[in-house]
């Protein structure tokens, strides 16, 4: 039996991603900020005990360039239609008969490796999810050991994942629940402690931005 998990991290084309966060930094820096959120997320994930492989599924050529030499793998999503299709494609390429595959959102810049490890441990090979701070979205989905990911990301995904039989994990792990959608979220993440890449922008944040998608 394999312990731990292999994780897929999806990332949209950088200029189109995180539209509600637009304005937190200057327009020219927006793509760099989105990339920084990803880099801090995957760096923390790869150093978490129990995480074996981290595979980014992307549609932007700047992403593999930025990940080169980090140990994080990267694959182009090849025009697949949307987030859940991209995740399924990535997860199937990682899946083994007795291993656990999972999906981790790309916007967790305060992620602590210990929080991710604890959630994987808590799942114990069961299908599981971690809800975001608001309790409606999902930051981490883990398939049952050896099973398909069957992702249901999108509005209300926490409820959708619970309805598929996933157990809730990581409820007391703030860094795993702190996804950054808005300027306010960025402020909360900064209080928890940002990773190095996102932290470089701290001096230029405008946390009042709440642009509608
Ligand atoms: N590869 C891939 N990743 C995606 C896709 N759609 C969303 N993502 C990723 O899924 C997560 C959500 O991305 P966004 O849709 O930009 O985030 P959001 O907070 O919903 O963005 P806004 O609503 O625009 O503010 C992030 O991890 C993205 O990088 C997709 O079609 N393909
Ligand atoms: C897609 C999701 O989140 P977001 O829109 O914040 O990326 C989700 O939580 O299922």
């Amino acid at each position: 039996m394999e312990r731990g998990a292999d994780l897929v991290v999806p990332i949209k084309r950088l200029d189109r991603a995180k539209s509600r966060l637009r304005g937190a930094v200057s327009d020219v820096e927006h793509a760099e900020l989105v990339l920084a959120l990803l880099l801090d997320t995957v760096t923390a994930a790869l150093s978490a005990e129990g995480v074996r492989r981290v595979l980014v599924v992307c549609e932007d050529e700047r992403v593999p360039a930025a990940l080169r030499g980090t140990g994080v793998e990267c694959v182009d999503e090849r025009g697949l239609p949307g987030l859940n299709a991209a995740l399924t494609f990535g997860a199937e390429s990682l899946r083994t008969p007795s291993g656990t595959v999972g999906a981790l959102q790309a916007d967790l810049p305060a992620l602590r490796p210990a929080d991710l490890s604890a959630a994987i441990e808590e799942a114990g090979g069961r299908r599981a999810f971690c809800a975001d701070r608001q309790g409606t979205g999902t930051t981490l989905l883990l398939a049952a050991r050896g099973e398909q990911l069957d992702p249901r990301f999108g509005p209300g995904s926490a409820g959708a994942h619970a309805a598929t039989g996933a157990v809730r994990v990581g409820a007391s792990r703030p860094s795993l629940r702190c996804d950054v959608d808005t300027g306010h979220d960025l402020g909360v993440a900064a209080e928890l402690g940002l990773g190095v890449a996102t932290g470089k922008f701290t001096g230029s944040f405008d946390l009042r931005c709440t642009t509608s998608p």
Side-chain angles (χ1 to χ4, degrees), residues 87-163:
L87 283 169
T88 299
F89 164 67
E92 281 304 293
S93 79
L94 291 174
R95 195 156 68 94
T96 61
S98 61
T100 293
V101 289
L104 183 70
Q105 293 276 31
D107 55 3
L108 304 168
L111 181 61
R112 302 255 165 102
D115 280 355
L116 177 56
S117 299
I120 294 170
E121 184 77 24
E122 189 182 349
R126 296 171 297 172
R127 181 170 175 79
F129 73 101
C130 179
D132 64 9
R133 272 190 320 117
Q134 292 78 13
T136 52
T138 303
T139 60
L140 172 73
L141 173 67
L142 296 168
R145 206 173 269 135
E147 298 295 323
Q148 294 178 346
L149 187 60
D150 189 16
R152 310 286 173 97
F153 284 85
S157 63
H161 288 134

Side-chain angles (χ1 to χ4, degrees), residues 47-82:
S47 65
E49 201 182 323
V51 172
R52 291 181 300 249
R53 295 173 65 186
V54 176
L55 175 69
V56 171
V57 182
C58 73
E59 41 176 12
D60 194 308
E61 62 284 354
R62 287 170 284 187
V63 173
L67 292 174
R68 207 159 289 136
T70 61
V72 174
E73 300 163 63
C74 193
V75 65
D76 188 281
E77 75 182 46
R78 299 173 206 167
L80 286 164

